[in-house]
């Protein structure tokens, strides 16, 4: 499909739409060519273990659909209460490759940090 085609975005969304069937516990948000996975748990050990398990399912889906993940553009953030610091490192991997943990990210054009505050910049 040629880049910039009128049907390109629609066909991509149709192609990607069933990724949500990979996991019964992840919340998956698709917007244009951006995919976000959400998982919540009070215990960081459980969160890490569960997310890595679910990412194995995502990796299988990507492989079955002949898609690859750009690990350089992939990262994760752990949201927390203001002023509270997690006391442990979290290791999240897909296909054996570690995913970078960040303290702030851009989500649908809005910059947010791990305390769910915005700097007011919309890009």
């Amino acid at each position: 499909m040629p880049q910039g085609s009128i049907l390109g975005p629609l066909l991509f969304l149709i192609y990607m739409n069933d990724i949500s069937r990979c996991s019964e516990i992840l919340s998956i948000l698709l917007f244009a060519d951006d995919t976000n996975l959400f998982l919540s748990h009070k215990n960081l050990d459980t969160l890490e273990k569960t997310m890595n398990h679910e990412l194995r399912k995502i990796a299988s889906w990507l492989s079955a659909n002949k898609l690859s993940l750009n690990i350089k553009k992939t990262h994760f953030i752990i949201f927390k209460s203001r002023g509270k610091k997690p006391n442990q490192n979290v290791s999240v991997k897909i296909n054996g490759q570690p995913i970078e943990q960040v303290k702030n990210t851009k989500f649908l054009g809005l910059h947010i940090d791990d305390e769910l505050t915005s700097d007011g910049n919309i890009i």
Side-chain angles (χ1 to χ4, degrees):
M1 166 178 0
Q3 187 173 358
S5 71
I6 294 171
L7 287 177
L10 177 62
L11 294 174
F12 178 77
L13 287 175
I14 291 169
Y15 190 66
M16 287 291 296
N17 198 41
D18 72 333
I19 194 171
S20 61
R21 294 187 182 135
C22 288
S23 172
E24 294 179 4
I25 62 172
L26 290 178
S27 295
I28 301 176
L29 177 66
L30 300 170
F31 183 77
D33 65 346
D34 198 14
T35 303
N36 293 274
L37 310 174
F38 298 91
L39 182 64
S40 176
H41 202 281
K42 290 181 180 182
N43 182 290
L44 277 179
D45 288 328
T46 302
L47 185 68
E48 176 182 23
K49 187 179 195 178
T50 304
M51 183 54 100
N52 282 310
H53 180 264
E54 295 303 302
L55 284 174
R56 285 191 287 278
K57 295 177 186 179
I58 297 291
S60 293
W61 182 90
L62 290 167
S63 178
N65 286 278
K66 300 185 181 356
L67 293 172
S68 61
L69 181 70
N70 186 341
I71 199 74
K72 292 177 184 174
K73 291 184 177 182
T74 303
H75 56 266
F76 75 96
I77 188 167
I78 297 179
F79 297 109
K80 58 185 176 56
S81 300
R82 183 168 285 181
K84 186 176 180 181
K85 293 184 179 182
N87 57 359
Q88 67 188 73
N89 292 329
V90 176
S91 174
V92 177
K93 296 180 181 182
I94 190 161
N95 288 331
Q97 295 182 304
I99 298 175
E100 178 187 13
Q101 182 174 357
V102 296
K103 293 198 177 288
N104 55 63
T105 190
K106 188 170 74 169
F107 178 68
L108 299 178
L110 183 66
H111 291 269
I112 56 173
D113 65 17
D114 58 358
E115 293 178 343
L116 288 175
T117 59
S118 169
D119 66 4
N121 292 328
I122 299 175
I123 296 179

